[in-house]
Structure formats: C-alpha cells, structure tokens
Amino acid sequence: MRKKEVIAMQMYEVTALAPEEPEEVYQAMVFAEDEDDALNQLEEQLKEQGIAHGMCMAEEV
C-alpha cells in the first residue's frame, strides 16, 4: 500500500498593481500551498491574460 502525501492548501487573496501607479490592475482568490505558490499562480494568470503589472502581493485569508 502506498502512502498518500497530504498537501495543505490555503486560500490567498492575490493582487497585482499597475506598473507605474499604486492602482490595482488584477485581484483574485486562489488556493495555494504557500505564498510563493500563490504568487506563481498570479503571475501565470497575468501572463495568460496579457495584463501588464508591477508589484504583486499575496495575503492568506
């Protein structure tokens, strides 16, 4: 019998700001393993949708 690895997922609110201004250009909720995973998911979503952005943030909720 194989052991199953359990990965705890947390809900994160992710936000991307405009490149030159402190204005939000994208906000979403994602399930992620940790803050780095949440930011990686955000970067992927922004890239897929062609959204230009500056700083990105993730906060566990």
Side-chain angles (χ1 to χ4, degrees), residues 27-38:
Q27 188 172 30
M29 301 295 275
V30 298
F31 279 106
E33 294 177 33
D34 56 27
E35 187 175 334
D36 288 337
D37 184 33

Side-chain angles (χ1 to χ4, degrees), residues 27-55:
Q27 188 172 30
M29 301 295 275
V30 298
F31 279 106
E33 294 177 33
D34 56 27
E35 187 175 334
D36 288 337
D37 184 33
L39 289 170
N40 288 339
Q41 289 183 46
L42 173 59
E43 291 282 345
E44 190 174 307
Q45 290 175 13
L46 294 168
K47 185 177 178 182
E48 286 175 1
Q49 296 181 32
I51 298 173
H53 65 283
M55 187 172 77

Side-chain angles (χ1 to χ4, degrees), residues 16-32:
L17 300 180
E20 303 292 327
E21 305 169 27
E23 177 184 334
E24 292 180 4
V25 292
Y26 190 86
Q27 188 172 30
M29 301 295 275
V30 298
F31 279 106

